[in-house]
Amino acid sequence: MISQTVTVTGMTCGHCASSVREEVGAIAGVNTVDVDLATGLVTIGSDTRLDPDAIVDAVAEAGYAVAG
């Protein structure tokens, strides 16, 4: 399994984390999505390396932004 991490800005509560988890989890090939609300760190486990733009788009769909 491949692991990728991004930092998401703007999350303030459990509902925020759930929204990001749901949208990123909908990307084809994603097996796991772990969100650390305190740091904004989102760790994504997948079968193959994901297109970074797909991750950014999924986070944006949830209403947040990827830092950097």
Side-chain angles (χ1 to χ4, degrees), residues 4-65:
Q4 292 172 255
T5 59
V6 295
T7 301
V8 175
T9 59
M11 295 186 298
T12 58
C13 66
H15 181 265
C16 299
S18 293
S19 295
V20 169
R21 195 176 296 113
E22 180 180 335
E23 292 297 335
V24 173
I27 300 171
V30 170
N31 297 317
T32 61
V33 181
D34 294 316
V35 178
D36 183 332
L37 187 58
T39 63
L41 193 64
V42 177
T43 304
I44 306 154
S46 58
D47 297 326
T48 59
R49 186 144 187 87
L50 301 174
D51 178 354
D53 289 338
I55 298 170
V56 170
D57 290 347
V59 170
E61 186 66 29
Y64 305 96

